[in-house]
Amino acid sequence: MFSKRLKELKPYIPGEQPGDANYIKLNTNENPFGPSPRVKDILNTFDPENLRLYPDPLFKNLRSKLADKYGLLPNQVFAGNGSDEVLSFVFFAFFDTLNGNLIFPEHTYSFYPVYCDFYGISYQKIPLKSDFSIDINSFLKTHEIAGLIFPNPNAPTGILMPLKEVEDLIQRFPKDRLVVIDEAYIDFGGQSAVPLIDKYNNLLVIKTFSKSMSLAGIRLGYALGNEKLIAALFAVKDSFNSYPIDTLTLKIAEAAVSDMGYYDKINKKIIQNRKKLTLDLEQKGWNVLPSSANFIFTRKEGLSGSHVYKKFKEKGILVRHFNHDGIKDFVRITIGTDEMMESFMSVLKTEF
Ligand code: PMP
């Protein structure tokens, strides 16, 4: 009954979602503040009659709102069921083993190699520098490149590549190979590469409503780039599922985009809490990588990451540990509210 393809799958392991409100969740980089109050208004006034029909397969309203937000045209915007789905379409559409290896950083979003295996794309992981930042020169030294993908800021390190360096990389990269920048965490203090889209036809920027927009539960992500790249993503979508975004999600997202003032406020608070947590940890002798994301990546000499993870879990706090060579000592901690951070620090002070 089971296909050979299925037997060869190596699925991604998502962070725990225990459905138990007693845990303080600092493990999947969700926003600790709720979505815009305008989202609540949509939920309170939405007419179920609207669910009778299929949603718009072109997401025209949402795409035009996002295009306005970024100073782009609607045909430079694609959207999908979470940026994970958008990414999977990107891997299908643009990376071909005939062209060489797809390259990405050694420590990065662990879904990338999963998509590569799923679609039969060969890949090469490029080592990070000793400070865990991305080394653009080693990206450029690689031969036979099918394309490049990296998150900016990188995950799980949180380290940002400044926009000047991003542009330098794109400029020096083969023009007939795609550069994908996954900006899931860019709104927490980074500078987006979106303004470069009209300059470079081979640049695609991926974004999500899950983190800075506090809407992980609706599953919505999008891609911004040259219209030919976007048309390719529509071709993949329409060969897989014409309606990946439901009517209610579209309405919620449109309302959220209309309230960026609210989001600027909550995300500024996250940045503040990140600074405070970093200082508190450093005072206790923890080493914290410089983060521009809504999480930090930290370790303490003499402690294993799995031990730290287990101790916090025993005390009702979920953090994320990756059992990958080179980062086993670290745990990744999502930035929470003041209260969440106080609970976290009080466990840390008593346990370690
Ligand atoms: N990219 C990166 C770097 C991420 O960390 C995540 C979240 N796990 C995603 C993409 C996917 O986000 P979503 O599917 O919720 O849009």
Side-chain angles (χ1 to χ4, degrees):
M1 278 198 300
F2 301 107
S3 69
K4 184 167 168 289
R5 279 194 307 269
L6 178 91
K7 287 181 196 146
E8 286 165 3
L9 287 184
K10 294 176 216 136
Y12 173 75
I13 303 165
E16 294 162 273
Q17 296 290 358
D20 177 346
N22 292 326
Y23 275 112
I24 296 177
K25 265 191 101 277
L26 304 178
N27 65 332
T28 49
N29 300 339
E30 288 134 333
N31 201 309
F33 303 107
S36 153
R38 294 188 195 174
V39 169
K40 213 174 189 178
D41 295 342
I42 293 289
L43 290 171
N44 286 338
T45 55
F46 187 80
D47 180 358
E49 193 62 21
N50 292 326
L51 295 178
R52 200 172 55 74
L53 303 178
Y54 283 106
D56 171 12
L58 294 173
F59 340 120
K60 286 189 289 297
N61 288 342
L62 176 67
R63 286 167 67 214
S64 101
K65 289 212 158 65
L66 290 171
D68 285 350
K69 172 166 149 61
Y70 293 106
L72 297 171
L73 297 169
N75 64 6
Q76 293 177 297
V77 184
F78 176 77
N81 189 252
S83 58
D84 280 340
E85 184 183 73
V86 176
L87 286 167
S88 96
F89 292 172
V90 168
F91 277 63
F92 183 89
F94 303 110
F95 303 135
D96 206 321
T97 295
L98 298 174
N99 292 333
N101 290 332
L102 171 66
I103 56 175
F104 47 81
E106 182 180 4
H107 299 298
T108 195
Y109 186 30
S110 39
F111 227 133
Y112 302 158
V114 174
Y115 293 133
C116 286
D117 290 338
F118 189 84
Y119 292 121
I121 298 162
S122 56
Y123 60 91
Q124 192 179 339
K125 293 182 176 181
I126 308 296
L128 297 175
K129 292 195 215 166
S130 59
D131 65 359
F132 291 92
S133 66
I134 289 175
D135 182 356
I136 67 165
N137 290 320
S138 45
F139 273 165
L140 292 162
K141 260 190 246 141
T142 313
H143 300 289
E144 309 270 319
I145 299 171
L148 162 65
I149 184 166
F150 65 99
N152 198 30
N154 195 11
T157 61
I159 297 175
L160 179 77
M161 184 187 292
L163 187 58
K164 231 170 107 354
E165 215 173 297
V166 170
E167 180 159 15
D168 184 30
L169 170 62
I170 302 169
Q171 250 168 9
R172 293 161 62 198
F173 205 71
K175 298 282 164 283
D176 59 349
R177 295 289 187 270
L178 189 69
V179 176
V180 182
I181 306 184
D182 179 348
E183 292 193 340
Y185 303 104
I186 198 74
D187 297 333
F188 302 102
Q191 231 186 324
S192 171
V194 170
L196 303 180
I197 283 174
D198 283 331
K199 239 166 123 181
Y200 301 99
N201 288 344
N202 61 334
L203 168 65
L204 195 64
V205 177
I206 312 294
K207 291 180 178 274
T208 178
F209 278 73
S210 299
K211 316 291 180 184
S212 61
M213 302 297 280
S214 194
L215 286 165
I218 63 170
R219 310 303 303 122
L220 188 66
Y222 53 105
L224 305 170
N226 172 273
E227 61 184 76
K228 288 198 179 123
L229 303 178
I230 298 303
L233 294 174
F234 271 103
V236 178
K237 169 190 84 85
D238 288 325
S239 310
F240 178 77
N241 175 8
S242 300
Y243 308 107
I245 312 176
D246 63 82
T247 307
L248 186 54
T249 291
L250 289 170
K251 285 271 168 264
I252 289 173
E254 286 158 30
V257 173
S258 75
D259 197 8
M260 291 313 297
Y262 167 81
Y263 285 108
D264 286 347
K265 222 167 39 203
I266 62 169
N267 294 325
K268 277 207 178 94
K269 178 65 185 156
I270 290 175
I271 295 170
Q272 250 177 33
N273 287 6
R274 178 182 72 213
K275 284 188 185 146
K276 173 149 189 352
L277 178 69
T278 303
L279 286 176
D280 288 350
L281 281 166
E282 284 173 349
Q283 253 173 18
K284 290 272 142 207
W286 290 66
N287 167 235
V288 184
L289 299 189
S291 170
S292 297
N294 67 338
F295 56 82
I296 50 128
F297 206 43
T298 184
R299 67 179 158 187
K300 186 169 188 183
E301 184 120 12
L303 294 177
S304 79
S306 64
H307 172 73
V308 175
Y309 160 83
K310 278 186 208 131
K311 276 276 164 215
F312 272 108
K313 190 167 182 183
E314 274 168 31
K315 299 286 170 190
I317 297 179
L318 290 178
V319 300
R320 190 88 190 257
H321 173 246
F322 297 91
N323 200 22
H324 301 168
D325 285 342
I327 54 170
K328 280 184 181 163
D329 295 350
F330 284 87
V331 285
R332 192 192 68 190
I333 298 147
T334 303
I335 306 301
T337 59
D338 290 342
E339 297 73 35
M340 289 157 106
M341 298 291 87
E342 276 158 25
S343 306
F344 173 84
M345 280 311 295
S346 102
V347 170
L348 184 123
K349 281 174 190 160
T350 52
E351 297 296 321
F352 302 104

